[in-house]
Amino acid sequence: MKKLAIPITLLALFGGVWLGVVAQDAPKPAAAAAAPAAAASAPEPQVCFESREGATQVTQREIKPGLPNVRCSPTTGAALWYGDPLDGTVPMGATANLDKASEANAFIKPRAEQMKFLATCGTACHNGTYPKGYPKDNKPVPIPTMVAMMPELATFQHGRGAIWCLDCHHATKRDKFFDHAGNLIGFDQPQALCGKCHGDKLRDWRDGIHGKRTGDFTSTGKKRWYTCTECHNPHNVQDGVRNRGFVQIKPETPPQLPRGMKDARHEKLHPIPH
Ligand code: HEC
Ligand code: HEC
Ligand code: HEC
């Protein structure tokens, strides 16, 4: 009798665990199912992102009856599919050092409209004058208003201490960048800004080795060029221990251990040294 009782107890225990797991997973599909229902009842437009969440937003709309400009992933909110790859783009225009690349068939998505603070930056605070207490070195003084607006700037990570705000942003015209000759660069041509220090990357981007293009792939076809800041956040390219290119992604939690296994210590006893 006792022999039988143990497996039953175990079954009850693990059954409970299994039920617990199912219950944990359950809200996910339920929430996913609820989302389209909510969208149907409220006329709120669906907004998804392209390369960077919160910085490359696209609002879904119809470009023709029944044809949306973009379709968003219901699970991640990322753009999955385009009705027209050139939708929302403008001609890239002449860009310094790009030779023949910026002909009439190169298109970009404007960055300025994605900026939250740009419209006010150059008028409300930085209105053509240096702010009081303007720092003379490359250690920005954390001003509470700035920290509140863009918290990530308090720990600015680009250039390993070699560059700071006014190596990119124009000192008195804050809605512009500037090149080494002092010429102004708009927010919609970040390649001209980045290219002043990363000339090799600008050349690769021009030649289609770095970055991304979509559209008509015949040699004379119209293409959308993804600009540098659509992928890179210029304020934190050297984040964390990896310190290269992109903000580190927090690892997902480890998978559930198989039944009966108390910990994953056996993984440390790998037979093949590596
Ligand atoms: C490497 C060049 C570079 C440096 C250095 C830099 N920025 Fe920027 N900053 C940019 C670019 C490029 C953009 C536009 C980003 C985009 O298109 O997503 C921007 C955007 C901004 C914006 C507008 C954000 C918005 O949503 O409207 C603010 C404010 C700003 N930067 C402040 C700062 C401050 C303060 C510093 C110094 C701590 C700094 N930046 C350093 C390149 C730089
Ligand atoms: C004023 C010069 C300057 C400008 C302008 C500039 N950068 Fe940088 N960038 C640097 C320096 C310096 C480093 C650090 C390189 C190093 O330590 O090897 C760096 C590092 C980087 C890195 C990390 C590379 C690595 O090897 O870790 C990326 C990505 C990057 N920049 C992207 C951009 C983008 C995108 C722009 C335009 C928005 C830009 N940079 C504009 C000077 C600049
Ligand atoms: C479609 C997205 C995309 C675009 C557009 C883009 N990059 Fe990158 N870039 C990347 C990726 C992905 C990496 C690899 C980063 C890594 O290894 O962490 C990278 C790496 C870099 C690096 C670091 C290279 C290294 O040796 O580690 C620099 C600097 C850089 N990009 C600059 C630029 C500049 C300047 C532009 C615009 C002319 C640009 N990028 C456009 C996605 C992009």
Side-chain angles (χ1 to χ4, degrees):
M1 186 63 215
K2 216 179 172 190
K3 262 187 189 163
L4 193 71
I6 293 167
I8 287 175
T9 319
L10 280 179
L11 189 71
L13 264 176
F14 288 121
V17 169
W18 183 76
L19 276 179
V21 171
V22 170
Q24 257 183 2
D25 282 352
K28 275 190 202 156
S41 61
E44 281 283 303
Q46 209 183 347
V47 179
C48 57
F49 70 95
E50 298 189 318
S51 314
R52 283 203 281 136
E53 198 165 3
T56 52
Q57 310 296 95
V58 200
T59 305
Q60 198 184 66
R61 59 181 178 80
E62 284 196 340
I63 45 179
K64 271 186 211 155
L67 180 69
N69 59 338
V70 69
R71 268 199 203 125
C72 315
S73 158
T75 43
T76 64
L80 285 181
W81 176 93
Y82 292 86
D84 170 9
L86 297 178
D87 179 64
T89 62
V90 298
M92 180 158 76
T95 304
N97 304 322
L98 276 186
D99 305 343
K100 285 176 277 174
S102 50
E103 292 161 4
N105 52 17
F107 290 78
I108 53 130
K109 268 206 184 170
R111 291 300 302 150
E113 60 198 38
Q114 301 276 346
M115 300 291 106
K116 295 183 204 75
F117 307 111
L118 194 58
T120 45
C121 285
T123 45
C125 298
H126 306 284
N127 46 6
T129 54
Y130 288 114
K132 211 176 155 217
Y134 171 70
K136 302 282 182 291
D137 54 23
N138 66 358
K139 290 181 190 64
V141 181
I143 302 162
T145 319
M146 279 310 292
V147 177
M149 273 163 60
M150 303 188 68
E152 79 268 23
L153 289 178
T155 54
F156 176 74
Q157 300 289 330
H158 190 151
R160 303 192 170 101
I163 66 165
W164 77 300
C165 319
L166 301 187
D167 287 318
C168 294
H169 294 280
H170 193 273
T172 54
K173 298 184 187 77
R174 291 300 166 99
D175 56 351
K176 297 278 189 241
F177 308 115
F178 63 100
D179 65 15
H180 287 312
N183 302 312
L184 297 180
I185 299 168
F187 269 57
D188 296 343
Q189 275 78 40
Q191 61 273 15
L193 167 71
C194 313
K196 83 173 179 179
C197 300
H198 301 283
D200 57 332
K201 285 290 169 299
L202 179 67
R203 194 184 55 222
D204 288 352
W205 182 78
R206 176 199 65 193
D207 296 345
I209 299 165
H210 193 101
K212 175 173 162 180
R213 284 175 221 173
T214 53
D216 178 349
F217 269 79
T218 54
S219 61
T220 53
K222 290 182 176 169
K223 295 176 193 72
R224 168 182 173 191
W225 295 47
Y226 286 71
T227 56
C228 316
T229 44
E230 285 177 274
C231 296
H232 297 282
N233 178 346
H235 297 148
N236 63 8
V237 290
Q238 286 172 320
D239 172 79
V241 188
R242 185 167 177 265
N243 202 347
R244 197 180 177 99
F246 292 93
V247 165
Q248 273 178 259
I249 299 169
K250 209 171 152 244
E252 289 191 6
T253 46
Q256 182 114 2
L257 287 172
R259 288 180 194 189
M261 195 181 284
K262 283 204 213 75
D263 54 47
R265 224 178 298 160
H266 69 284
E267 287 194 354
K268 298 214 171 101
L269 309 169
H270 204 287
I272 307 159
H274 59 88

